[in-house]
Amino acid sequence: MINFKTPELSDRTSATKAVADSGYTGSDASFANIFLLRQKYGTQIALQDGFLFRYYNGVGSRRGYAFPLGSGEPQAALARIVDDARESDRPLEFCLVDEPRAQILREYFKTAGSNGAKSALHFEENRGDSDYIYSAESLATLAGNLYKKKRNHVSRFNRTYSDYEIRPLTPENFADALMVEKSWLNIETLGESSDTDCECTCECREAAWAERSEDEKSRLSEYCAIREALENFDALGMKGAVLYIGGILAGMTMASEILPGVWDTHFEKVIDEYAVNGGYAIINKLFAEKLWATGAHLINREEDINIEGLRKAKLSYYPQTILDKSHIVILEG
């Protein structure tokens, strides 16, 4: 069997190396996401034979084995998964699989992938799981005709707010970043007022948590993830920035590296009037400039979770790649 366990901060180095060896740029493979969302999706991982194995105990497209990531051919790692599913009595299903790795699964299960048994693969695609991956240079410079409207947004923001600045996210302004999130979520209306309440949220065990609405659970889970990201900022390899306008908090963003040169923007929030007056355009550009200047060549801005407005916004920045992912169930004959 595969020796699955809950992700720990100490797993970061080995997990990140396995992802880098694989060349996979999906946001689900960012160690920060694996760690910060471990409770939300019941994520389990194992690091064996140079491969990162993941199992998600969520629902829908967040249920099943992820494709094993590491160096070399994955056939032996896939055989481990087949054996693990049989021994643990788990359904043999894969989640968040991009097309190149889906093709590997097709070939594997066409031959000896299930101990010689004939297998059929059932695919389900959810457009809301697709990652939007951009050229870091394009987001930083907004050069060319495609980005004319974005440059206009930035120019309008510059005319409206001449006294803004973006500061690197450091322990000195962690509290400001968290305040942006609390303001964006209007979290006071949810009764969040103590560390104990947040722990209850993240663990999802207390009766009070069970009584919350799905919207409340989602918002408080995000708050807990951001707070935990700040608490483990260096251990997770995070970078971030806080936007101030006239000395007043306006926004924040955080990202981490999936593999060398490929960054994942986990959180980006702008509050109050600044959100509708170009604040997102300016924080996106200014932070992309900083990442590009330090060697980033791609920026993954994650999924749109089937929200129409979010999809429109992500498409308006002209992604270099839309990384589609499938949920695949293996049906043995």
PDB file of all heavy atoms in Angstrom, residues 161-190:
ATOM      1  N   TYR A 161      -5.632  58.002  -8.160  1.00  0.00           N
ATOM      2  CA  TYR A 161      -4.889  57.821  -6.906  1.00  0.00           C
ATOM      3  C   TYR A 161      -3.389  57.989  -7.191  1.00  0.00           C
ATOM      4  O   TYR A 161      -2.730  57.036  -7.620  1.00  0.00           O
ATOM      5  CB  TYR A 161      -5.140  56.439  -6.315  1.00  0.00           C
ATOM      6  CG  TYR A 161      -6.604  56.082  -6.163  1.00  0.00           C
ATOM      7  CD1 TYR A 161      -7.198  55.161  -7.025  1.00  0.00           C
ATOM      8  CD2 TYR A 161      -7.382  56.645  -5.167  1.00  0.00           C
ATOM      9  CE1 TYR A 161      -8.536  54.816  -6.893  1.00  0.00           C
ATOM     10  CE2 TYR A 161      -8.710  56.311  -5.020  1.00  0.00           C
ATOM     11  CZ  TYR A 161      -9.299  55.401  -5.891  1.00  0.00           C
ATOM     12  OH  TYR A 161     -10.617  55.066  -5.747  1.00  0.00           O
ATOM     13  N   SER A 162      -2.890  59.137  -6.945  1.00  0.00           N
ATOM     14  CA  SER A 162      -1.480  59.389  -7.236  1.00  0.00           C
ATOM     15  C   SER A 162      -0.559  58.984  -6.084  1.00  0.00           C
ATOM     16  O   SER A 162       0.653  58.845  -6.267  1.00  0.00           O
ATOM     17  CB  SER A 162      -1.262  60.879  -7.540  1.00  0.00           C
ATOM     18  OG  SER A 162      -1.668  61.677  -6.427  1.00  0.00           O
ATOM     19  N   ASP A 163      -1.154  58.786  -4.905  1.00  0.00           N
ATOM     20  CA  ASP A 163      -0.332  58.527  -3.719  1.00  0.00           C
ATOM     21  C   ASP A 163      -0.460  57.085  -3.251  1.00  0.00           C
ATOM     22  O   ASP A 163      -0.756  56.818  -2.101  1.00  0.00           O
ATOM     23  CB  ASP A 163      -0.717  59.482  -2.590  1.00  0.00           C
ATOM     24  CG  ASP A 163      -2.211  59.432  -2.265  1.00  0.00           C
ATOM     25  OD1 ASP A 163      -2.968  58.853  -3.087  1.00  0.00           O
ATOM     26  OD2 ASP A 163      -2.610  59.955  -1.209  1.00  0.00           O
ATOM     27  N   TYR A 164      -0.247  56.139  -4.159  1.00  0.00           N
ATOM     28  CA  TYR A 164      -0.332  54.735  -3.769  1.00  0.00           C
ATOM     29  C   TYR A 164       1.051  54.115  -3.773  1.00  0.00           C
ATOM     30  O   TYR A 164       1.983  54.610  -4.402  1.00  0.00           O
ATOM     31  CB  TYR A 164      -1.270  53.962  -4.703  1.00  0.00           C
ATOM     32  CG  TYR A 164      -0.764  53.797  -6.113  1.00  0.00           C
ATOM     33  CD1 TYR A 164       0.083  52.750  -6.470  1.00  0.00           C
ATOM     34  CD2 TYR A 164      -1.151  54.690  -7.115  1.00  0.00           C
ATOM     35  CE1 TYR A 164       0.541  52.599  -7.762  1.00  0.00           C
ATOM     36  CE2 TYR A 164      -0.693  54.548  -8.408  1.00  0.00           C
ATOM     37  CZ  TYR A 164       0.154  53.510  -8.734  1.00  0.00           C
ATOM     38  OH  TYR A 164       0.610  53.367 -10.018  1.00  0.00           O
ATOM     39  N   GLU A 165       1.178  53.031  -3.048  1.00  0.00           N
ATOM     40  CA  GLU A 165       2.432  52.282  -3.041  1.00  0.00           C
ATOM     41  C   GLU A 165       2.142  50.821  -2.751  1.00  0.00           C
ATOM     42  O   GLU A 165       1.143  50.480  -2.110  1.00  0.00           O
ATOM     43  CB  GLU A 165       3.407  52.832  -1.995  1.00  0.00           C
ATOM     44  CG  GLU A 165       2.913  52.718  -0.565  1.00  0.00           C
ATOM     45  CD  GLU A 165       3.960  53.147   0.446  1.00  0.00           C
ATOM     46  OE1 GLU A 165       5.162  52.944   0.184  1.00  0.00           O
ATOM     47  OE2 GLU A 165       3.566  53.680   1.513  1.00  0.00           O
ATOM     48  N   ILE A 166       3.003  49.954  -3.240  1.00  0.00           N
ATOM     49  CA  ILE A 166       2.892  48.533  -2.949  1.00  0.00           C
ATOM     50  C   ILE A 166       4.126  48.126  -2.154  1.00  0.00           C
ATOM     51  O   ILE A 166       5.251  48.424  -2.544  1.00  0.00           O
ATOM     52  CB  ILE A 166       2.743  47.694  -4.243  1.00  0.00           C
ATOM     53  CG1 ILE A 166       2.408  46.237  -3.908  1.00  0.00           C
ATOM     54  CG2 ILE A 166       3.954  47.819  -5.142  1.00  0.00           C
ATOM     55  CD1 ILE A 166       1.927  45.431  -5.091  1.00  0.00           C
ATOM     56  N   ARG A 167       3.909  47.533  -1.004  1.00  0.00           N
ATOM     57  CA  ARG A 167       5.000  47.151  -0.117  1.00  0.00           C
ATOM     58  C   ARG A 167       5.098  45.632  -0.061  1.00  0.00           C
ATOM     59  O   ARG A 167       4.072  44.942  -0.039  1.00  0.00           O
ATOM     60  CB  ARG A 167       4.763  47.692   1.299  1.00  0.00           C
ATOM     61  CG  ARG A 167       4.622  49.198   1.394  1.00  0.00           C
ATOM     62  CD  ARG A 167       4.310  49.611   2.825  1.00  0.00           C
ATOM     63  NE  ARG A 167       3.854  50.999   2.907  1.00  0.00           N
ATOM     64  CZ  ARG A 167       3.282  51.531   3.987  1.00  0.00           C
ATOM     65  NH1 ARG A 167       3.102  50.791   5.080  1.00  0.00           N
ATOM     66  NH2 ARG A 167       2.893  52.790   3.978  1.00  0.00           N
ATOM     67  N   PRO A 168       6.317  45.106  -0.014  1.00  0.00           N
ATOM     68  CA  PRO A 168       6.472  43.650   0.137  1.00  0.00           C
ATOM     69  C   PRO A 168       5.780  43.168   1.404  1.00  0.00           C
ATOM     70  O   PRO A 168       5.755  43.875   2.420  1.00  0.00           O
ATOM     71  CB  PRO A 168       7.987  43.460   0.225  1.00  0.00           C
ATOM     72  CG  PRO A 168       8.567  44.687  -0.393  1.00  0.00           C
ATOM     73  CD  PRO A 168       7.609  45.802  -0.093  1.00  0.00           C
ATOM     74  N   LEU A 169       5.209  41.987   1.351  1.00  0.00           N
ATOM     75  CA  LEU A 169       4.553  41.391   2.519  1.00  0.00           C
ATOM     76  C   LEU A 169       5.624  40.818   3.439  1.00  0.00           C
ATOM     77  O   LEU A 169       6.393  39.927   3.061  1.00  0.00           O
ATOM     78  CB  LEU A 169       3.582  40.303   2.060  1.00  0.00           C
ATOM     79  CG  LEU A 169       2.640  39.698   3.094  1.00  0.00           C
ATOM     80  CD1 LEU A 169       1.882  40.760   3.867  1.00  0.00           C
ATOM     81  CD2 LEU A 169       1.651  38.761   2.390  1.00  0.00           C
ATOM     82  N   THR A 170       5.705  41.360   4.634  1.00  0.00           N
ATOM     83  CA  THR A 170       6.682  40.953   5.638  1.00  0.00           C
ATOM     84  C   THR A 170       5.970  40.836   6.977  1.00  0.00           C
ATOM     85  O   THR A 170       4.814  41.264   7.111  1.00  0.00           O
ATOM     86  CB  THR A 170       7.816  41.993   5.759  1.00  0.00           C
ATOM     87  OG1 THR A 170       7.272  43.217   6.295  1.00  0.00           O
ATOM     88  CG2 THR A 170       8.472  42.273   4.415  1.00  0.00           C
ATOM     89  N   PRO A 171       6.629  40.283   7.986  1.00  0.00           N
ATOM     90  CA  PRO A 171       5.985  40.188   9.304  1.00  0.00           C
ATOM     91  C   PRO A 171       5.456  41.528   9.810  1.00  0.00           C
ATOM     92  O   PRO A 171       4.468  41.560  10.563  1.00  0.00           O
ATOM     93  CB  PRO A 171       7.102  39.642  10.207  1.00  0.00           C
ATOM     94  CG  PRO A 171       7.941  38.818   9.287  1.00  0.00           C
ATOM     95  CD  PRO A 171       7.942  39.573   7.988  1.00  0.00           C
ATOM     96  N   GLU A 172       6.066  42.629   9.382  1.00  0.00           N
ATOM     97  CA  GLU A 172       5.630  43.945   9.844  1.00  0.00           C
ATOM     98  C   GLU A 172       4.235  44.312   9.346  1.00  0.00           C
ATOM     99  O   GLU A 172       3.532  45.114   9.975  1.00  0.00           O
ATOM    100  CB  GLU A 172       6.631  45.023   9.392  1.00  0.00           C
ATOM    101  CG  GLU A 172       7.932  45.032  10.185  1.00  0.00           C
ATOM    102  CD  GLU A 172       8.804  43.816   9.887  1.00  0.00           C
ATOM    103  OE1 GLU A 172       8.730  43.297   8.741  1.00  0.00           O
ATOM    104  OE2 GLU A 172       9.545  43.370  10.792  1.00  0.00           O
ATOM    105  N   ASN A 173       3.816  43.763   8.210  1.00  0.00           N
ATOM    106  CA  ASN A 173       2.471  44.098   7.720  1.00  0.00           C
ATOM    107  C   ASN A 173       1.587  42.868   7.504  1.00  0.00           C
ATOM    108  O   ASN A 173       0.589  42.936   6.777  1.00  0.00           O
ATOM    109  CB  ASN A 173       2.537  44.958   6.446  1.00  0.00           C
ATOM    110  CG  ASN A 173       3.313  44.306   5.316  1.00  0.00           C
ATOM    111  OD1 ASN A 173       3.641  43.125   5.367  1.00  0.00           O
ATOM    112  ND2 ASN A 173       3.604  45.085   4.278  1.00  0.00           N
ATOM    113  N   PHE A 174       1.944  41.749   8.121  1.00  0.00           N
ATOM    114  CA  PHE A 174       1.064  40.578   8.066  1.00  0.00           C
ATOM    115  C   PHE A 174      -0.338  40.937   8.578  1.00  0.00           C
ATOM    116  O   PHE A 174      -1.349  40.503   8.017  1.00  0.00           O
ATOM    117  CB  PHE A 174       1.629  39.437   8.912  1.00  0.00           C
ATOM    118  CG  PHE A 174       2.737  38.651   8.259  1.00  0.00           C
ATOM    119  CD1 PHE A 174       3.390  37.649   8.957  1.00  0.00           C
ATOM    120  CD2 PHE A 174       3.125  38.903   6.947  1.00  0.00           C
ATOM    121  CE1 PHE A 174       4.406  36.913   8.361  1.00  0.00           C
ATOM    122  CE2 PHE A 174       4.143  38.181   6.345  1.00  0.00           C
ATOM    123  CZ  PHE A 174       4.787  37.181   7.060  1.00  0.00           C
ATOM    124  N   ALA A 175      -0.396  41.698   9.654  1.00  0.00           N
ATOM    125  CA  ALA A 175      -1.697  42.064  10.224  1.00  0.00           C
ATOM    126  C   ALA A 175      -2.514  42.880   9.232  1.00  0.00           C
ATOM    127  O   ALA A 175      -3.747  42.748   9.174  1.00  0.00           O
ATOM    128  CB  ALA A 175      -1.499  42.844  11.522  1.00  0.00           C
ATOM    129  N   ASP A 176      -1.845  43.712   8.432  1.00  0.00           N
ATOM    130  CA  ASP A 176      -2.561  44.499   7.428  1.00  0.00           C
ATOM    131  C   ASP A 176      -3.155  43.589   6.351  1.00  0.00           C
ATOM    132  O   ASP A 176      -4.293  43.791   5.901  1.00  0.00           O
ATOM    133  CB  ASP A 176      -1.607  45.506   6.780  1.00  0.00           C
ATOM    134  CG  ASP A 176      -1.260  46.663   7.700  1.00  0.00           C
ATOM    135  OD1 ASP A 176      -1.880  46.772   8.782  1.00  0.00           O
ATOM    136  OD2 ASP A 176      -0.373  47.457   7.346  1.00  0.00           O
ATOM    137  N   ALA A 177      -2.382  42.604   5.921  1.00  0.00           N
ATOM    138  CA  ALA A 177      -2.889  41.669   4.917  1.00  0.00           C
ATOM    139  C   ALA A 177      -4.113  40.924   5.435  1.00  0.00           C
ATOM    140  O   ALA A 177      -5.103  40.734   4.713  1.00  0.00           O
ATOM    141  CB  ALA A 177      -1.800  40.681   4.511  1.00  0.00           C
ATOM    142  N   LEU A 178      -4.057  40.505   6.695  1.00  0.00           N
ATOM    143  CA  LEU A 178      -5.190  39.792   7.279  1.00  0.00           C
ATOM    144  C   LEU A 178      -6.389  40.718   7.436  1.00  0.00           C
ATOM    145  O   LEU A 178      -7.539  40.292   7.256  1.00  0.00           O
ATOM    146  CB  LEU A 178      -4.786  39.199   8.623  1.00  0.00           C
ATOM    147  CG  LEU A 178      -5.699  38.119   9.194  1.00  0.00           C
ATOM    148  CD1 LEU A 178      -5.808  36.937   8.248  1.00  0.00           C
ATOM    149  CD2 LEU A 178      -5.184  37.649  10.556  1.00  0.00           C
ATOM    150  N   MET A 179      -6.135  41.980   7.723  1.00  0.00           N
ATOM    151  CA  MET A 179      -7.227  42.948   7.836  1.00  0.00           C
ATOM    152  C   MET A 179      -7.921  43.145   6.490  1.00  0.00           C
ATOM    153  O   MET A 179      -9.150  43.292   6.427  1.00  0.00           O
ATOM    154  CB  MET A 179      -6.692  44.276   8.355  1.00  0.00           C
ATOM    155  CG  MET A 179      -7.779  45.301   8.668  1.00  0.00           C
ATOM    156  SD  MET A 179      -8.933  44.717   9.939  1.00  0.00           S
ATOM    157  CE  MET A 179      -7.824  44.642  11.356  1.00  0.00           C
ATOM    158  N   VAL A 180      -7.157  43.145   5.404  1.00  0.00           N
ATOM    159  CA  VAL A 180      -7.763  43.233   4.073  1.00  0.00           C
ATOM    160  C   VAL A 180      -8.714  42.066   3.852  1.00  0.00           C
ATOM    161  O   VAL A 180      -9.849  42.238   3.395  1.00  0.00           O
ATOM    162  CB  VAL A 180      -6.680  43.251   2.972  1.00  0.00           C
ATOM    163  CG1 VAL A 180      -7.318  43.059   1.588  1.00  0.00           C
ATOM    164  CG2 VAL A 180      -5.899  44.560   3.007  1.00  0.00           C
ATOM    165  N   GLU A 181      -8.256  40.860   4.201  1.00  0.00           N
ATOM    166  CA  GLU A 181      -9.093  39.679   4.013  1.00  0.00           C
ATOM    167  C   GLU A 181     -10.353  39.754   4.860  1.00  0.00           C
ATOM    168  O   GLU A 181     -11.454  39.450   4.391  1.00  0.00           O
ATOM    169  CB  GLU A 181      -8.297  38.420   4.348  1.00  0.00           C
ATOM    170  CG  GLU A 181      -9.097  37.120   4.315  1.00  0.00           C
ATOM    171  CD  GLU A 181      -9.594  36.741   2.931  1.00  0.00           C
ATOM    172  OE1 GLU A 181      -9.260  37.431   1.950  1.00  0.00           O
ATOM    173  OE2 GLU A 181     -10.319  35.743   2.834  1.00  0.00           O
ATOM    174  N   LYS A 182     -10.223  40.167   6.097  1.00  0.00           N
ATOM    175  CA  LYS A 182     -11.390  40.266   6.979  1.00  0.00           C
ATOM    176  C   LYS A 182     -12.382  41.299   6.455  1.00  0.00           C
ATOM    177  O   LYS A 182     -13.592  41.081   6.491  1.00  0.00           O
ATOM    178  CB  LYS A 182     -10.950  40.619   8.401  1.00  0.00           C
ATOM    179  CG  LYS A 182     -10.159  39.515   9.083  1.00  0.00           C
ATOM    180  CD  LYS A 182      -9.764  39.874  10.506  1.00  0.00           C
ATOM    181  CE  LYS A 182     -10.947  39.725  11.443  1.00  0.00           C
ATOM    182  NZ  LYS A 182     -10.530  39.819  12.864  1.00  0.00           N
ATOM    183  N   SER A 183     -11.856  42.401   5.944  1.00  0.00           N
ATOM    184  CA  SER A 183     -12.729  43.421   5.384  1.00  0.00           C
ATOM    185  C   SER A 183     -13.417  42.911   4.119  1.00  0.00           C
ATOM    186  O   SER A 183     -14.618  43.117   3.915  1.00  0.00           O
ATOM    187  CB  SER A 183     -11.919  44.683   5.072  1.00  0.00           C
ATOM    188  OG  SER A 183     -12.733  45.682   4.494  1.00  0.00           O
ATOM    189  N   TRP A 184     -12.644  42.224   3.263  1.00  0.00           N
ATOM    190  CA  TRP A 184     -13.204  41.695   2.014  1.00  0.00           C
ATOM    191  C   TRP A 184     -14.302  40.674   2.286  1.00  0.00           C
ATOM    192  O   TRP A 184     -15.330  40.642   1.608  1.00  0.00           O
ATOM    193  CB  TRP A 184     -12.078  41.059   1.191  1.00  0.00           C
ATOM    194  CG  TRP A 184     -12.459  40.717  -0.218  1.00  0.00           C
ATOM    195  CD1 TRP A 184     -12.399  41.529  -1.311  1.00  0.00           C
ATOM    196  CD2 TRP A 184     -12.976  39.463  -0.681  1.00  0.00           C
ATOM    197  NE1 TRP A 184     -12.833  40.860  -2.426  1.00  0.00           N
ATOM    198  CE2 TRP A 184     -13.199  39.581  -2.068  1.00  0.00           C
ATOM    199  CE3 TRP A 184     -13.262  38.253  -0.052  1.00  0.00           C
ATOM    200  CZ2 TRP A 184     -13.683  38.543  -2.844  1.00  0.00           C
ATOM    201  CZ3 TRP A 184     -13.758  37.205  -0.828  1.00  0.00           C
ATOM    202  CH2 TRP A 184     -13.961  37.351  -2.197  1.00  0.00           C
ATOM    203  N   LEU A 185     -14.092  39.843   3.297  1.00  0.00           N
ATOM    204  CA  LEU A 185     -15.067  38.815   3.649  1.00  0.00           C
ATOM    205  C   LEU A 185     -16.203  39.346   4.511  1.00  0.00           C
ATOM    206  O   LEU A 185     -17.192  38.655   4.703  1.00  0.00           O
ATOM    207  CB  LEU A 185     -14.374  37.675   4.415  1.00  0.00           C
ATOM    208  CG  LEU A 185     -13.397  36.806   3.630  1.00  0.00           C
ATOM    209  CD1 LEU A 185     -12.674  35.858   4.576  1.00  0.00           C
ATOM    210  CD2 LEU A 185     -14.128  36.020   2.546  1.00  0.00           C
ATOM    211  N   ASN A 186     -16.030  40.588   5.025  1.00  0.00           N
ATOM    212  CA  ASN A 186     -16.978  41.106   6.019  1.00  0.00           C
ATOM    213  C   ASN A 186     -17.156  40.073   7.119  1.00  0.00           C
ATOM    214  O   ASN A 186     -18.257  39.700   7.503  1.00  0.00           O
ATOM    215  CB  ASN A 186     -18.325  41.433   5.371  1.00  0.00           C
ATOM    216  CG  ASN A 186     -19.223  42.244   6.287  1.00  0.00           C
ATOM    217  OD1 ASN A 186     -18.752  42.863   7.255  1.00  0.00           O
ATOM    218  ND2 ASN A 186     -20.513  42.237   6.015  1.00  0.00           N
ATOM    219  N   ILE A 187     -16.024  39.597   7.612  1.00  0.00           N
ATOM    220  CA  ILE A 187     -16.027  38.411   8.460  1.00  0.00           C
ATOM    221  C   ILE A 187     -16.653  38.645   9.825  1.00  0.00           C
ATOM    222  O   ILE A 187     -17.099  37.715  10.485  1.00  0.00           O
ATOM    223  CB  ILE A 187     -14.590  37.868   8.601  1.00  0.00           C
ATOM    224  CG1 ILE A 187     -14.615  36.372   8.884  1.00  0.00           C
ATOM    225  CG2 ILE A 187     -13.793  38.614   9.669  1.00  0.00           C
ATOM    226  CD1 ILE A 187     -13.312  35.679   8.609  1.00  0.00           C
ATOM    227  N   GLU A 188     -16.738  39.927  10.257  1.00  0.00           N
ATOM    228  CA  GLU A 188     -17.345  40.187  11.552  1.00  0.00           C
ATOM    229  C   GLU A 188     -18.798  39.729  11.590  1.00  0.00           C
ATOM    230  O   GLU A 188     -19.313  39.320  12.622  1.00  0.00           O
ATOM    231  CB  GLU A 188     -17.256  41.677  11.884  1.00  0.00           C
ATOM    232  CG  GLU A 188     -15.856  42.148  12.266  1.00  0.00           C
ATOM    233  CD  GLU A 188     -14.962  42.350  11.056  1.00  0.00           C
ATOM    234  OE1 GLU A 188     -15.461  42.216   9.916  1.00  0.00           O
ATOM    235  OE2 GLU A 188     -13.768  42.632  11.242  1.00  0.00           O
ATOM    236  N   THR A 189     -19.465  39.781  10.427  1.00  0.00           N
ATOM    237  CA  THR A 189     -20.868  39.371  10.403  1.00  0.00           C
ATOM    238  C   THR A 189     -21.032  37.873  10.592  1.00  0.00           C
ATOM    239  O   THR A 189     -22.122  37.390  10.843  1.00  0.00           O
ATOM    240  CB  THR A 189     -21.530  39.767   9.058  1.00  0.00           C
ATOM    241  OG1 THR A 189     -20.919  39.026   8.002  1.00  0.00           O
ATOM    242  CG2 THR A 189     -21.367  41.255   8.803  1.00  0.00           C
ATOM    243  N   LEU A 190     -19.911  37.126  10.477  1.00  0.00           N
ATOM    244  CA  LEU A 190     -19.976  35.686  10.662  1.00  0.00           C
ATOM    245  C   LEU A 190     -19.683  35.290  12.099  1.00  0.00           C
ATOM    246  O   LEU A 190     -19.677  34.119  12.444  1.00  0.00           O
ATOM    247  CB  LEU A 190     -18.974  34.997   9.730  1.00  0.00           C
ATOM    248  CG  LEU A 190     -19.175  35.237   8.239  1.00  0.00           C
ATOM    249  CD1 LEU A 190     -18.115  34.485   7.462  1.00  0.00           C
ATOM    250  CD2 LEU A 190     -20.549  34.850   7.783  1.00  0.00           C
TER     251      LEU A 190
END
